[in-house]
Amino acid sequence: MSWYYVPKPTVLPAENFNPSADAAALRKAMKGFGTDEETIIKILCSRSNYQRQLIADAFKNELGRDLLKDLKSELSGKLEDVIVGLMMPPVNYLCRELYKAMDGIGTNEKALIEILCSQNNEQMHEITRTYDEMYNRPLAEHVCSETSGNFRRLLTMIITGTRNAPEVCNPDEAVEQAKSLYNAGEGRMGTDESVFYKILAHCSFSQLEIVFEEYKKLTGRTIEQALKAEVSGDFYEALSAIVECVQMAPHFFAKKLFLAMDGLGTDDKTLIRIIVSRAEIDLQNIKDEFEQMYNKTLLSAVKSETSGDYKRALCAIIGDA
C-alpha cells in the first residue's frame, strides 16, 4: 500500500454546462409555495464546486438574489447540511467543520483528527490562512485552547506546516528515524512521545512510508502495533490516522465512513463531511476500498442508514458506478 494513488472523484464537472439555465431552474424550484428538492439535488449534486460558484454568480447577477441564503431558507435538517456544504468552496467548508468541532462546550476530537491528519503542507497552509480570514482567529491558537498534552503538540506541529515536501525522501535517514522510534517506544521503559510526534508530523508522507518499512525490518512489528502498545487516547488516534493516510488515504476514509454507520444510530455529521469533502478528490477510491473491506457497497450502506431527500442527495454524490 502506498500513500501515492491516482485520486478518482465521483463528482466531475458537468458537460454542456449553462450557469444561467441552472440558476433559473433553481429559482423556479424555490419560488412560491413548497420546494422542489428533487431539482435542487439533481443540479447541485452533479456539478463541480467551481461550476456551483458560477451558478451562484449567475443567481446574483441575473436574478438579484443570494443563492446560499435562498437554499438555507428553503431547506432544513441534514439535506440543508449537504447542499450548503456543496455550495461552499472546499477549503472554507473544511474550516467551518474545524470551527464547529471546537465551538461551544466540548470538542469533537474525531473531526479534528480526520481533517488535520489527512492534509499535506500545501493544503494545511491554505486551511490556516482561510481559517484566520473566516474567524479572525489563528487556527493553531484555537486548537491549542481546545486540546492538551501530546495531542495538542502533534496537532500544532501539523497546523504550523512543518511537514517536508512530498518529494523529500532519504532512505538512509529513514533507517535512523525507525531506530529513533524504536528507542523512544518499544526499546525502553516508558515512552518518549515527543519522538513520535516530531517524526510523524515533520516527515513527508513518502518519507514516512519508508520509515514504517524500516521499522518493520528492524523490529519485526508494524508501526501500528508499536503505537497501540506505546500511546493511547486522542494522541494514539491522531498518530494512527497519519499512519493510515500514509499507507492509503481512501482506506482511512472508508473505515471512518463504516464506523459512522456501524451499530445503533448514524453519525451523520461525519458521513456528510467525508462524502462532501472527498467527492471531487477520491470518493471513487474510497468506494472501491469500502467494498473490498466490508464486502458491501458504500451506496447500499448509505441507502440503509439514511432516508428521504437526504438519502437522495448523498446517493447522487456517491454515484452508482
Side-chain angles (χ1 to χ4, degrees):
M1 281 291 191
S2 166
W3 68 276
Y4 182 76
Y5 61 100
V6 179
K8 294 177 190 161
T10 57
V11 174
L12 297 159
E15 291 172 24
N16 308 318
F17 170 64
N18 183 336
S20 301
D22 283 350
L26 286 169
R27 176 73 185 119
K28 191 180 168 195
M30 294 186 278
K31 206 174 176 181
F33 189 70
T35 308
D36 176 3
E37 285 91 352
E38 205 178 316
T39 298
I40 295 171
I41 292 166
K42 197 174 158 193
I43 293 172
L44 296 178
C45 294
S46 61
R47 306 288 184 269
S48 68
N49 192 275
Y50 177 68
Q51 289 177 329
R52 288 182 217 120
Q53 305 309 324
L54 295 178
I55 296 169
D57 291 344
F59 207 82
K60 197 170 194 68
N61 298 333
E62 293 163 30
L63 306 167
R65 299 183 68 88
D66 185 324
L67 177 55
L68 198 57
K69 228 181 207 169
D70 279 9
L71 287 166
K72 281 179 177 174
S73 71
E74 292 293 328
L75 305 173
S76 62
K78 295 186 278 269
L79 175 64
E80 181 188 348
D81 292 342
V82 175
I83 299 298
V84 168
L86 288 174
M87 286 305 303
M88 295 178 80
V91 67
N92 296 51
Y93 177 65
L94 289 179
C95 287
R96 193 197 65 172
E97 290 298 301
L98 286 167
Y99 181 81
K100 277 162 66 175
M102 297 184 282
D103 191 33
I105 296 167
T107 306
N108 181 350
E109 287 87 3
K110 276 186 195 160
L112 293 182
I113 291 167
E114 176 209 303
I115 297 169
L116 297 173
C117 294
S118 59
Q119 310 296 329
N120 64 29
N121 250 6
E122 205 181 318
Q123 293 162 327
M124 205 57 252
H125 287 147
E126 202 187 347
I127 288 170
T128 49
R129 195 176 59 245
T130 308
Y131 196 91
D132 207 350
E133 280 168 17
M134 285 173 74
Y135 300 108
N136 201 19
R137 183 177 188 182
L139 175 61
E141 185 261 314
H142 197 175
V143 168
C144 276
S145 71
E146 294 291 326
T147 55
S148 60
N150 291 312
F151 180 52
R152 170 163 67 190
R153 284 187 270 277
L154 173 69
L155 293 189
T156 306
M157 285 183 84
I158 292 169
I159 291 163
T160 48
T162 56
R163 198 180 289 290
N164 285 332
E167 61 277 4
V168 175
C169 235
N170 184 333
D172 294 336
E173 201 182 346
V175 175
E176 292 308 312
Q177 287 164 329
K179 281 181 192 163
S180 297
L181 286 171
Y182 175 73
N183 293 333
E186 295 183 291
R188 56 172 277 170
M189 283 288 285
T191 309
D192 181 358
E193 287 93 351
S194 68
V195 175
F196 282 86
Y197 63 68
K198 278 174 187 161
I199 291 175
L200 269 73
H202 182 65
C203 293
S204 67
F205 277 14
S206 45
Q207 177 74 7
L208 284 175
E209 197 181 0
I210 314 171
V211 173
F212 300 158
E213 280 165 16
E214 291 299 336
Y215 191 91
K216 190 148 194 229
K217 278 186 213 165
L218 177 73
T219 67
R221 283 158 67 84
T222 65
I223 190 72
E224 290 94 329
Q225 288 170 316
L227 291 176
K228 218 167 206 153
E230 295 298 322
V231 295
S232 60
D234 293 325
F235 184 50
Y236 165 74
E237 295 296 338
L239 291 175
S240 214
I242 295 169
V243 171
E244 285 186 52
C245 288
V246 165
Q247 289 170 342
M248 204 184 185
H251 183 95
F252 168 73
F253 287 111
K255 193 170 97 178
K256 290 277 170 261
L257 286 170
F258 177 78
L259 292 172
M261 297 183 279
D262 192 32
L264 269 174
T266 306
D267 177 359
D268 293 292
K269 286 189 173 101
T270 299
L271 197 58
I272 294 167
R273 183 174 56 248
I274 294 176
I275 289 171
V276 167
S277 67
R278 307 304 294 191
E280 287 181 65
I281 303 172
D282 56 0
L283 190 53
Q284 186 60 51
N285 309 75
I286 295 167
K287 279 165 66 176
D288 297 341
E289 278 292 308
F290 191 95
E291 196 168 350
Q292 268 189 329
M293 289 162 74
Y294 303 109
N295 208 15
K296 60 180 170 185
T297 66
L298 177 60
L299 194 69
S300 67
V302 168
K303 275 182 177 170
S304 68
E305 289 292 321
T306 56
S307 61
D309 291 319
Y310 169 49
K311 172 167 86 173
R312 276 187 276 280
L314 288 184
C315 291
I317 300 167
I318 293 165
D320 294 325

